[in-house]
Amino acid sequence: MALSLQSLLILFTTLLLKQILVEAATCSNCFTPSRAAHYPNSDEQGTDVGACGFGSFGATLNGGDVSAASDLYRNGVGCDKGVTVVITDQGSGHNTDFVLSQRAFGKMAQTTDAAASLLALGVVDIEYRRVSCSYPNKNITIKIDENSDYPHYLAFVLWYQQGDKDITAVQLCETKNSVCKLLDRSHGAVWTTTSPPSGPLSLRMLLSGEDGDESWIVPVNNIPENWKVGETYDTGVQISV
């Protein structure tokens, strides 16, 4: 969601006129029928201006296997999610829930030749389900947004969130006195605050599961006192999958 970053969506499709019949189900691991299209001019990868706020990183995340989503975007909560695709944008078309990169769309086919035929269709019936995101050898990373203005305004995106939970709240804390401030979700996966605390800063992130379970995670590393626009900071922590 967060996006996620992040839980993932596995999408499968059959080729040409073959349709998949599914039974209505309520379990979290069951597949949901839907439809998917692809970005028409994406150069195989996703868009670098996605609504999640990932920028150019969002076009290459997960090797370019990314997607825009309609209802699953959930006002940005779905950005921390993640063929297997990661949600990096909001969008829909032709009664679809997903708009995939051409790379991801073609990988739903079983062969390279079949991928060309699948792309020619433009829109196909699919089934999807949510699965855990996995970023081996990566910690959750803070990317300071280009709209930040040190020291008056801080905005950032969280990259590489593993697992299948959503980041639903973020607190920014002064390391000297542990006073914390609840941040706003500006748009997509961008967290912001005016008049951020001074000194080295630590984060607290609230993870929420579909079963209602909630827990806070606290990074090992802090945001430095003299944080800079465009910089990335490794939190030193990751969610176990």
Side-chain angles (χ1 to χ4, degrees), residues 88-170:
T88 60
D89 195 7
Q90 180 184 26
S92 61
H94 302 288
N95 297 316
T96 64
D97 286 320
F98 301 96
V99 182
L100 279 65
S101 64
Q102 290 188 21
R103 173 188 172 92
F105 197 91
K107 287 178 72 173
M108 292 191 293
Q110 296 182 359
T111 66
T112 301
D113 291 339
S117 299
L118 192 66
L119 285 165
L121 291 177
V123 181
V124 294
D125 294 322
I126 63 166
E127 291 181 309
Y128 71 89
R129 65 183 173 95
R130 182 177 178 177
V131 297
S132 293
C133 211
S134 178
Y135 297 103
N137 304 315
K138 295 285 188 181
N139 292 323
I140 296 175
T141 300
I142 300 165
K143 167 64 163 56
I144 306 298
D145 189 79
E146 285 74 9
N147 292 317
S148 297
D149 180 20
Y150 180 86
H152 308 292
Y153 175 74
L154 175 60
F156 60 83
V157 179
L158 298 173
W159 292 354
Y160 304 127
Q161 176 208 341
Q162 290 193 158
D164 59 359
K165 293 186 176 182
D166 301 318
I167 295 179
T168 55
V170 176

Side-chain angles (χ1 to χ4, degrees), residues 1-6 47-55 58 61 67-69 72-81 86-90 145 156-159 185-191:
M1 283 196 176
L3 292 107
S4 349
L5 46 96
Q6 297 155 335
T47 176
D48 58 3
V49 292
C52 288
F54 292 138
L61 179 64
S67 175
L72 292 174
Y73 176 78
R74 294 187 295 148
N75 294 321
V77 175
C79 298
D80 304 321
K81 301 284 176 254
V86 176
I87 293 176
T88 60
D89 195 7
Q90 180 184 26
D145 189 79
F156 60 83
V157 179
L158 298 173
W159 292 354
R185 187 191 292 273
S186 170
H187 66 280
V190 180
W191 297 92

